[in-house]
Amino acid sequence: MLLDDFFTLVWLIFIGLLILAVFALVHAALQREDAFRAADKQTKPFWLVILGVTVAVHLFVPGMLILKLIGAIATIVYLVDVRPAVRAVTGGGGRGRGGWSSSDGPYGPYNGNR
């Protein structure tokens, strides 16, 4: 009984990690390639390969816990580091706060001494 609950919990965690990896893969595929370079991150093909392999391992390779954990770490790195940087470069800051502008300085927008 307790062991069944444990395996159900582990299965739900892996399903959640798969959903996150698919979300990250779709997000990476929809972004412009130059946005990754502008954000000073790895290239778009690099992230597409890493996230694609992660999704494939989750779907098609039973077992291999270490590969799934490595993929989970890569997915988390993409979601918490790369995705916000790419969104800032592309102007997708979102939620009504406005986005990043090329004329923004460290203390706000630069107005050219006007």
Side-chain angles (χ1 to χ4, degrees):
M1 173 80 171
L2 187 60
L3 197 57
D4 290 338
D5 293 338
F6 174 74
F7 285 123
T8 301
L9 178 65
V10 170
W11 182 79
L12 288 174
I13 289 171
F14 282 127
I15 293 296
L17 291 173
L18 173 63
I19 291 169
L20 282 177
V22 169
F23 172 76
L25 179 63
V26 169
H27 182 270
L30 295 176
Q31 301 307 307
R32 296 186 337 242
E33 199 279 327
D34 62 332
F36 288 85
R37 285 183 277 125
D40 199 28
K41 301 298 176 187
Q42 291 290 334
T43 63
K44 179 178 179 175
F46 172 85
W47 283 108
L48 289 176
V49 168
I50 295 296
L51 295 170
V53 168
T54 298
V55 170
V57 165
H58 275 286
L59 289 176
F60 302 118
V61 180
M64 297 302 288
L65 179 65
I66 190 72
L67 287 179
K68 291 180 181 183
L69 291 176
I70 291 170
I73 291 169
T75 301
I76 291 168
V77 166
Y78 180 84
L79 290 175
V80 301
D81 183 41
V82 178
R83 181 175 177 254
V86 169
R87 287 183 71 200
V89 168
T90 59
R95 298 202 194 140
R97 296 187 312 244
W100 176 83
S101 171
S102 62
S103 65
D104 283 353
Y107 305 108
Y110 176 73
N111 63 8
N113 291 328
R114 288 184 242 161

